[in-house]
Amino acid sequence: MRRIQGLGRPLVALVVSACISVSAAAPPRFNGTWRGTFHGMWVGPQPNDKVALESVHGFELRLKEVGGRITGDFRQVDSTAPARVLKNARRFEDRACFDVDTDDGMDMRWCVTLHRGDLVGMWNKGPEGGRILGGQGIGARLFEVKAKRVPAK
């Protein structure tokens, strides 16, 4: 009887530890290929009414999430550049955030979530960490991102 009682505490600790680690790793939500658009700064002459315009670009994003770790690549469809590997990609509760390099060397920090099955979010000039690590920080302009999941073949 003493042996069984002695095993009780370590067994309870093991069960509680397993429950905590299982609940900490949320199920993958972002897996798959996404196609959509992102907005950016207008390049070229401004119209007469001086309204700040935004350009719109198509993209394809492939994401794979395993245990909260996200990997993937980004391809801008109106560019001849090859797909870019995502950097600093992580999941923060219901959001996925990552850095993407562009053709002109700019670093875009994307943060997206799922809304009614669509990928929605924003990007601003990165990298992760804001001004202290070279990003824009407070006052940066935020640009819209939206995409739909491509059905698996």
Side-chain angles (χ1 to χ4, degrees):
M1 191 65 152
R2 285 191 182 271
R3 272 192 195 165
I4 293 173
Q5 287 176 345
L7 289 177
R9 287 186 189 137
L11 185 58
V12 168
L14 180 63
V15 169
V16 168
S17 172
C19 290
I20 290 171
S21 65
V22 167
S23 67
R29 301 178 59 195
F30 298 100
N31 286 349
T33 300
W34 300 87
R35 282 197 194 115
T37 58
F38 71 93
H39 291 232
M41 288 296 290
W42 178 265
V43 177
Q46 292 288 321
N48 291 336
D49 60 6
K50 304 282 187 203
V51 174
L53 296 177
E54 293 182 351
S55 58
V56 180
H57 306 277
F59 71 89
E60 184 172 284
L61 179 66
R62 293 186 309 168
L63 297 174
K64 181 169 182 168
E65 181 181 358
V66 177
R69 185 170 181 268
I70 296 175
T71 58
D73 58 48
F74 168 90
R75 185 178 65 83
Q76 186 173 326
V77 297
D78 60 358
S79 170
T80 58
R84 313 267 181 179
V85 175
L86 304 181
K87 299 185 299 184
N88 303 316
R90 288 192 301 222
R91 181 162 167 190
F92 300 92
E93 296 181 16
D94 67 337
R95 296 181 322 277
C97 296
F98 46 87
D99 291 334
V100 174
D101 288 331
T102 63
D103 298 352
D104 59 3
M106 183 175 67
D107 186 345
M108 299 188 305
R109 180 67 175 170
W110 288 45
C111 284
V112 293
T113 190
L114 296 180
H115 179 70
R116 296 185 179 154
D118 292 341
L119 191 74
V120 296
M122 61 87 193
W123 75 269
N124 71 344
K125 192 169 178 183
E128 172 188 28
R131 178 160 284 166
I132 195 165
L133 296 178
Q136 288 297 94
I138 296 172
R141 182 137 180 218
L142 304 176
F143 294 101
E144 178 183 33
V145 172
K146 57 185 175 182
K148 295 200 176 290
R149 192 185 311 259
V150 176
K153 293 178 184 179

